[in-house]
């Protein structure tokens, strides 16, 4: 329903991806294309949702950025994208997608968000046409598989497998250890940091530095989560536990007034989740600031700390309406051992029209 295939190879790629989409697209892959990575092919229809509208060009650019290639390179590699009319062969809109677009405008599937972060971490834009690899002071590439540590400060009551989270995908793609090496920090229900998690993070980084024989780059992912049901109801999500289905209820549903409309309820709950993110961000940044001063002991064996914050939007994982979680990205910045801080949010998510108020 989501695509027309020109080859069995393209059909196989989408079959294994399990991708969902809200519009049709014709996607052709050259069999030897070097840009078809582990998950990139699964995200094409997400980036090209509502194909044929005025944002199609920006989505082409977003796709090129997510894959870490230029439009010219994509064409040379044999990757061709042909958006078709949005109404071609489509049924009713998917309630989950519609709610995400309305209440978390600009959110991306976890896999696309992870790809964008990876590209922004590994490359620096020198100009519109030129990028260079991100090196540390000793001329070693940052965020390589041997010298990267990924940590997660998230909700312990989130039943989404960690491998399917943004942090889990970053660990899989950026590190040799994969998900098994992901450091889960002490962040209890709701993703609120507790204890001195930065001390635990530094200890794990120093272990890796000793093993790798050089400085380590750290990626810290944090933020709360909220569900959206198959019917598009914000604050609720279907779960399957021990072969039994139930409806999980978010702690943020108490923000909605009794008797409010579905839209009023959704806006109140989504606003509560975004406010929870800001509270969590304040505690995360306070702990980071307490240990990351230039020349401090934290930086022994560590060259860079990148911080990725946002709200995870949970989705049912079963049935025809099931699919991948989404990530409402609200922060992407890096701190270096020499005291510099640089924001790479615009490079990773600047085209998503995410509310500036939500990022304040």
């Amino acid at each position: 329903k989501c695509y027309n295939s020109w080859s069995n190879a393209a059909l196989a790629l989408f079959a294994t991806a399990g991708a969902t989409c809200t519009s049709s697209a014709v996607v052709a892959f050259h069999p030897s294309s070097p840009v078809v990575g582990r998950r990139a092919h699964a995200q094409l229809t997400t980036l090209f949702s509502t194909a044929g509208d005025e944002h199609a060009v920006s989505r082409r650019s977003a796709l090129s950025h997510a894959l870490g290639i230029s439009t010219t390179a994509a064409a040379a590699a044999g990757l061709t994208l042909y958006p078709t009319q949005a109404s071609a062969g489509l049924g009713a809109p998917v309630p989950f997608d519609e709610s995400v677009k309305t209440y978390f405008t600009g959110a991306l599937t976890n896999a696309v968000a992870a790809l964008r972060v990876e590209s922004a971490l590994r490359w620096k834009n020198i100009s519109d046409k030129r990028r260079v690899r991100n090196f540390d002071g000793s001329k070693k590439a940052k965020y390589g598989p041997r010298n990267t540590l990924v940590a997660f400060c998230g909700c312990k009551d989130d039943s989404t497998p960690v491998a399917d989270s943004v942090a889990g995908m970053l660990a899989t793609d950026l590190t040799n250890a994969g998900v098994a090496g992901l450091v889960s920090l002490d962040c209890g229900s709701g993703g609120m940091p507790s204890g001195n998690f930065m001390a635990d993070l530094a200890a794990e980084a120093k272990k890796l530095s000793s093993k790798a024989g050089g400085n380590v780059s750290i990626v810290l992912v944090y933020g709360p989560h909220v569900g959206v049901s198959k019917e598009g109801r914000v604050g609720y999500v279907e779960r399957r536990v021990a072969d039994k289905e139930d409806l999980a209820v978010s702690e943020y549903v108490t923000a909605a007034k009794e008797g409010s409309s579905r839209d009023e309820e959704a806006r109140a709950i989504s606003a509560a989740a975004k406010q929870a993110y800001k509270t969590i961000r304040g505690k995360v940044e306070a702990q980071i600031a307490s240990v990351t001063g230039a020349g401090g002991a934290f930086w022994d064996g560590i060259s860079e700390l990148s911080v990725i914050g946002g709200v995870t939007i949970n989705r049912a994982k079963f049935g025809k309406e099931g699919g991948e979680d989404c990530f409402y990205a609200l922060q992407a910045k890096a701190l270096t051992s020499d005291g510099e801080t640089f924001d790479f949010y615009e490079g990773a998510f600047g085209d998503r029209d995410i509310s500036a108020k939500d990022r304040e």
Side-chain angles (χ1 to χ4, degrees):
K1 293 180 180 180
C2 297
Y3 58 87
N4 292 317
S5 172
W6 283 3
S7 68
N8 289 333
L11 179 62
L13 287 171
F14 274 86
T16 56
T20 60
C21 63
T22 56
S23 65
S24 66
V26 180
V27 183
F29 288 99
H30 190 285
S32 61
S33 172
V35 299
V36 181
R38 277 172 288 183
R39 293 193 316 278
H41 61 272
Q43 310 311 321
L44 298 177
T45 50
T46 302
L47 288 168
F48 275 79
S49 61
T50 322
D53 66 8
E54 68 274 17
H55 297 299
V57 173
S58 67
R59 275 192 292 274
R60 288 192 188 94
S61 298
L63 174 61
S64 296
H65 182 90
L67 295 177
I69 58 173
S70 67
T71 305
T72 303
L79 176 62
T80 311
L81 298 166
Y82 302 98
T84 60
Q85 292 301 314
S87 60
L90 292 179
V94 178
F96 175 90
D97 294 338
E98 294 302 305
S99 289
V100 170
K101 289 177 184 177
T102 301
Y103 306 111
F104 297 94
T105 305
L108 292 162
T109 60
N110 283 357
V112 174
L115 284 169
R116 285 173 171 237
V117 170
E118 291 164 25
S119 177
L121 290 176
R122 285 179 161 169
W123 298 89
K124 288 184 177 180
N125 291 322
I126 302 301
S127 68
D128 290 340
K129 297 182 179 179
R130 186 178 172 223
R131 299 191 308 161
V132 297
R133 194 71 166 87
N134 192 6
F135 291 99
D136 63 19
S138 59
K139 302 302 180 183
K140 288 185 178 180
K142 294 180 181 178
Y143 303 101
R146 294 182 66 251
N147 64 355
T148 301
L149 181 73
V150 180
F152 180 51
C153 180
C155 313
K156 293 185 182 301
D157 57 348
D158 185 358
S159 60
T160 296
V162 67
D164 296 333
S165 67
V166 170
M169 292 178 178
L170 289 172
T172 298
D173 289 354
L174 293 176
T175 74
N176 282 334
V179 175
L182 178 67
V183 177
S184 293
L185 300 171
D186 186 10
C187 299
S189 177
M192 190 68 67
S194 55
N196 188 4
F197 74 83
M198 286 300 293
D200 298 333
L201 181 57
E204 293 295 330
K206 287 172 179 23
K207 289 179 185 177
L208 180 59
S209 175
S210 177
K211 181 179 179 181
N215 287 337
V216 169
S217 301
I218 301 174
V219 184
L220 170 62
V221 183
Y222 74 91
H225 71 109
V226 64
V228 174
S229 72
K230 295 178 181 179
E231 290 74 32
R233 193 176 183 187
V234 177
Y236 302 84
V237 64
E238 297 81 1
R239 297 296 195 200
R240 180 176 285 166
V241 181
D243 294 327
K244 292 184 179 181
E245 297 179 13
D246 67 358
L247 189 68
V249 182
S250 169
E251 61 188 281
Y252 308 121
V253 299
T254 57
K257 295 180 180 179
E258 186 176 351
S260 58
S261 68
R262 179 67 65 86
D263 176 67
E264 291 171 336
E265 176 189 75
R267 292 189 184 281
I269 295 171
S270 61
K274 295 169 186 177
Q275 183 57 49
Y277 158 79
K278 293 182 179 182
T279 302
I280 293 170
R281 181 188 64 191
K283 290 186 175 293
V284 168
E285 292 190 332
Q287 284 211 30
I288 290 174
S290 70
V291 299
T292 55
F298 173 84
W299 295 110
D300 293 343
I302 300 171
S303 62
E304 190 164 295
L305 168 64
S306 288
V307 186
I308 311 298
V311 179
T312 296
I313 306 161
N314 298 136
R315 184 175 191 171
K317 301 299 184 294
F318 57 91
K320 65 180 182 179
E321 302 93 345
E324 184 180 357
D325 289 353
C326 292
F327 188 68
Y328 187 60
L330 296 169
Q331 185 180 59
K333 68 176 184 179
L335 297 82
T336 65
S337 56
D338 56 8
E340 290 187 48
T341 299
F342 58 94
D343 193 313
F344 58 90
Y345 184 90
E346 286 300 316
F349 304 108
D351 65 322
R352 297 305 299 168
D353 296 326
I354 290 174
S355 170
K357 180 180 179 181
D358 291 345
R359 296 190 59 221
E360 292 176 351

